[in-house]
Amino acid sequence: MLPTSLPTSLLPDALLPASLRATRVSIPDALWGDTLQRLPFLDYLNDDDLRRLKALCEELLQKKPLAGVGEFEVDDATAVLIAAQACVLVLNLDLSLYDDMSAILVYPEAFSVRQQHLDEAGVLHEWDEELAGEAVDQGGAVVLSWQDLMQPTEPGMPYNLVIHEFAHKIDMGRGSANGFPPFIEGLHQRAELAHWPEAFSAAYDDFCERVDLLENSLPPDFDPERDDHAELYDALAAELPLDPYAASDPAEFFAVASEAFFVAPAPLCEDYPQIYRLLAAWYRQDPLAAANSAR
Ligand SMILES: [Zn+2]
């Protein structure tokens, strides 16, 4: 519960444009404390970082509409939980990286999206896909499933739905997502990021080979619906520094690598040190060094 002297919701008029919103968003300290407890991977941030992160969250929630889809209502705890994970990506960059995002929308659970693909023979294939999250390019929203974003990830596992979708949104800064986020004059050093294309292509190719090897080692009658098979797959996937989904395409590789960079950076840094260093240069953060020096 929030203190009675404060508005009962941080987002009383969430769907209004920022200029029409009367109340300035101010996250109560108790709610901020609860949020940090639910995101233990943010332990690497120092007090000054956390103050700046809170201010960025307030600015994001002030500027961007955040709402449930249909009847679903987003409470303050969920809003701040999403904002903290979205803002850690731009903590040492600029919130303007999300200027292109129209809104943050939350479904109560995984949602179905119509997908289309035109194959080489010119045949249009259409199907419904269940998604836990989606980032829509060209001024679109970030869409998240509440059930999935509330699911705590096991410590050390490199998964984070919110970071994944907001990394896509950043990647879309130059058009559609392609795994090459925009270079920001004045914040980024060209020399530090010069090897991005070769390094990311090489790491992506290597990771795809590792996922192929994993898939080839599965039993011929592999069925992901079978519990013992699913357990075997998870055990093999846990040997990888990234979720095998990173092998889907270069844009997914960047989004999944960003998840690992913030949430479980050690295996990523061990297996792909150049990718870790490039992400550290791009995000202008070094979670691994910060966590080690805090110990
Ligand atoms: Zn993705």
Side-chain angles (χ1 to χ4, degrees), residues 29-61:
D29 287 341
L31 175 53
W32 183 242
D34 290 347
T35 305
L36 295 180
Q37 275 203 336
R38 290 160 73 179
L39 300 172
F41 71 89
L42 295 180
D43 275 0
Y44 75 94
L45 298 173
N46 65 31
D47 290 347
D48 176 56
D49 295 332
L50 291 172
R51 264 191 296 277
R52 291 187 302 110
L53 182 65
K54 182 169 182 263
L56 273 180
C57 290
E58 291 168 343
E59 198 183 333
L60 180 78
L61 294 172

Side-chain angles (χ1 to χ4, degrees), residues 164-165 168 245 251-252 255:
H164 183 102
E165 299 307 338
H168 276 320
Y245 186 65
E252 294 304 341

Side-chain angles (χ1 to χ4, degrees), residues 212-263:
D212 283 345
L213 280 173
L214 180 160
E215 286 173 357
N216 291 338
S217 69
L218 294 170
D221 64 339
F222 179 74
D223 172 5
E225 301 294 319
R226 258 178 66 175
D227 284 351
D228 56 336
H229 283 187
E231 267 172 37
L232 171 68
Y233 185 89
D234 288 347
L236 291 169
E239 303 283 309
L240 298 172
L242 303 173
D243 183 340
Y245 186 65
S248 308
D249 61 48
E252 294 304 341
F253 188 78
F254 168 69
V256 173
S258 295
E259 290 178 68
F261 176 76
F262 286 101
V263 175

Side-chain angles (χ1 to χ4, degrees), residues 9-18 20-23 25 61-62 65-66:
S9 171
L10 294 172
L11 307 161
D13 40 17
L15 283 173
L16 292 176
L20 297 179
R21 272 177 247 157
T23 41
V25 170
L61 294 172
Q62 177 75 33
L66 190 160

Side-chain angles (χ1 to χ4, degrees), residues 136-156:
V136 182
D137 61 3
Q138 297 179 10
V142 167
V143 190
L144 301 162
S145 144
W146 181 80
Q147 201 176 53
D148 290 273
L149 81 92
M150 296 305 283
Q151 224 160 48
T153 353
E154 283 172 49

